[in-house]
Amino acid sequence: MPLALLALAISAFGIGTTEFVIMGLLPNVAADLNTSVPTAGNLVSAYALGVVIGAPLLAIIGVRMPRKHLLILLMSIFVAGNLLSALSPNFGWALTGRFVTGLPHGAFFGAGSVVAAHLAPKGREGRAIATILLGLTFANIIGVPIATLVGQAVGWRTTFLAVTAIGVLAVVSLILLIPYEPAEPQQSLRRELSALRKPQVLLTLATAVFGFAGVFATYAYLSSITTHVMGLSESSVMWVLALSGIGMTIGVAAAGPLTDRAARPTAYASLAGLVIALVAFYFTAHIIWIALPMIVLLGAVGFLMTAPLQTMVIRFAGDAPTLSAASNHSAFNLANAGGVWLAGVAVVSGRGWMSTALVGAALAAAGLWIALVAGYLDRSATTNVMTHHELEPNKITR
């Protein structure tokens, strides 16, 4: 593995830790800042809003920058946001800190994926992109549980200071390990926007929105499912979430080589597997010895789609991939917000916690349908081009 990928993975580990650790520290933050837990929950929304706004905005701002400089700038914003969160004197400043921390998320993974794909040997781009995303999933297994324990033991501010230190380490790693390449002459905002309008790019982004909404519709309510449906104690929630993180890591690790062999079929398999697994989970969540392996499976099949979707976006965007790749992470966060909201509507309407699995299955099925339509259009375009080339010599001979 090139050392440059290690620098990107460290950055992804820090980003993943700060994104998810807040969920386990909301009571601590609320008590310290004299607010309610539901109000403190807006810190989660502020981060997601930062991602959605920051991904295209910062990608556009950095379109003419060398990508190494862009990555360093983005992680510097990440450091500033976490430090602001840690030192916040009141809830308003904490909210601002979370928003600032979310701003570089999508643009970093977009630019980082492009850098990883360029550094990888031809035919191994999927593995390189998956290496970065492994940093994100390892955060769920290692970073989030440890950071949560630290925050509960010595204060949530210490957690965000620790994440700030990870961010500083990431910045140093990027400076030392990412090779410098001047900005490509053809990079321009017009090219980036033009690539973002390509039908296959838009269909891939739509697949990400619906497919990942299917993942988050259930994942966001896993704590309640653990205690109310599976019958486990609150202290077991952390371990159940860790099982989900293990599944995510398995899925991302498998996605790399599978994407390099066949990106689109890998996306099909992930989405179809997610539909089946969610329906099966709906019927078996109350059987503990089945439910726990199912949670690992859900994480695996759900995150199997990460590398193929990101790789396809970069390929379809052609010579202007940065904005499209960043927008893919905006799509993931729109999926997060939309999937959680729709599943919440089902729960509030009295359909029970496991209705989230059926909502997730329906969303994943919609993502699969969009992916199949994109695949059909792609094959049709390829067939038309081949037919044109086959007919051309006959035309000349006549």
Side-chain angles (χ1 to χ4, degrees):
M1 178 180 72
L3 288 176
L5 296 184
L6 177 61
L8 295 171
I10 292 171
S11 304
F13 179 84
I15 292 172
T17 299
T18 204
E19 179 180 13
F20 293 108
V21 74
I22 189 66
M23 298 176 189
L25 296 177
L26 289 179
N28 308 77
V29 176
D32 184 54
L33 298 179
N34 299 313
T35 189
S36 66
V37 173
T39 300
N42 289 319
L43 295 171
V44 179
S45 301
Y47 184 94
L49 182 62
V51 177
V52 173
I53 293 174
L57 179 63
L58 291 175
I60 288 171
I61 291 173
V63 73
R64 292 186 180 277
M65 294 176 62
R67 291 196 177 101
K68 175 174 181 171
H69 293 172
L70 176 59
L71 291 171
I72 293 169
L73 171 64
L74 294 172
M75 283 309 295
S76 298
I77 296 172
F78 172 85
V79 169
N82 278 288
L83 186 60
L84 179 58
S85 298
L87 303 179
S88 298
N90 55 50
F91 182 71
W93 279 106
L95 206 63
T96 303
R98 289 297 291 171
F99 175 77
V100 171
T101 305
L103 285 173
H105 179 124
F108 180 87
F109 281 107
S113 296
V114 174
V115 169
H118 285 179
L119 290 173
K122 188 171 178 58
R124 298 178 69 90
E125 295 89 350
R127 288 176 175 84
I129 291 172
T131 299
I132 306 174
L133 297 174
L134 279 174
L136 195 62
T137 59
F138 271 119
N140 282 282
I141 300 175
I142 301 171
V144 172
I146 293 176
T148 301
L149 289 173
V150 169
Q152 292 171 345
V154 296
W156 66 274
R157 295 177 188 275
T158 304
T159 292
F160 284 101
L161 287 174
V163 177
T164 301
I166 295 173
V168 171
L169 174 62
V171 170
V172 173
S173 300
L174 293 170
I175 292 171
L176 296 177
L177 301 179
I178 298 293
Y180 173 81
E181 293 181 0
E184 298 173 11
Q186 71 268 27
Q187 282 182 233
S188 69
L189 179 57
R190 180 176 295 180
R191 280 179 176 270
E192 294 285 343
L193 291 173
S194 177
L196 191 57
R197 291 195 295 267
K198 291 181 178 179
Q200 287 292 4
V201 171
L202 292 174
L203 286 170
T204 305
L205 294 177
T207 301
V209 170
F210 284 91
F212 264 92
V215 174
F216 288 113
T218 303
Y219 179 78
Y221 298 96
L222 204 51
S223 298
S224 297
I225 292 172
T226 299
T227 55
H228 292 92
V229 180
M230 296 166 61
L232 298 176
S233 65
E234 287 187 9
S235 61
S236 301
V237 170
M238 183 179 297
W239 302 111
V240 171
L241 293 176
L243 283 177
S244 181
I246 290 171
M248 294 175 189
T249 304
I250 293 170
V252 172
L258 289 173
T259 297
D260 289 334
R261 296 186 65 178
R264 198 179 287 284
T266 301
Y268 294 157
S270 172
L271 290 161
L274 183 59
V275 173
I276 295 168
L278 284 167
V279 172
F281 188 53
Y282 174 81
F283 289 106
T284 60
H286 62 287
I287 307 172
I288 191 68
W289 62 272
I290 297 179
L292 293 178
M294 284 298 300
I295 288 169
V296 177
L297 179 63
L298 284 170
V301 295
F303 274 67
L304 183 63
M305 75 179 85
T306 52
L309 292 181
Q310 186 76 324
T311 302
M312 284 192 291
V313 161
I314 291 172
R315 288 176 182 170
F316 289 132
D319 58 4
T322 304
L323 180 57
S324 298
S327 297
N328 201 36
H329 287 273
S330 287
F332 289 161
N333 277 268
L334 286 174
N336 189 343
V340 172
W341 177 74
L342 288 172
V345 169
V347 173
V348 170
S349 66
R351 290 178 170 80
W353 293 110
M354 290 314 300
S355 64
T356 60
L358 295 183
V359 171
L363 290 167
L368 176 60
W369 180 79
I370 295 170
L372 290 170
V373 169
Y376 172 77
L377 294 176
D378 203 23
R379 288 192 299 273
S380 297
T382 302
T383 301
N384 289 338
V385 170
M386 291 177 64
T387 301
H388 173 77
H389 285 302
E390 289 170 359
L391 292 175
E392 193 68 27
N394 293 334
K395 182 178 177 182
I396 294 173
T397 55
R398 284 198 299 267

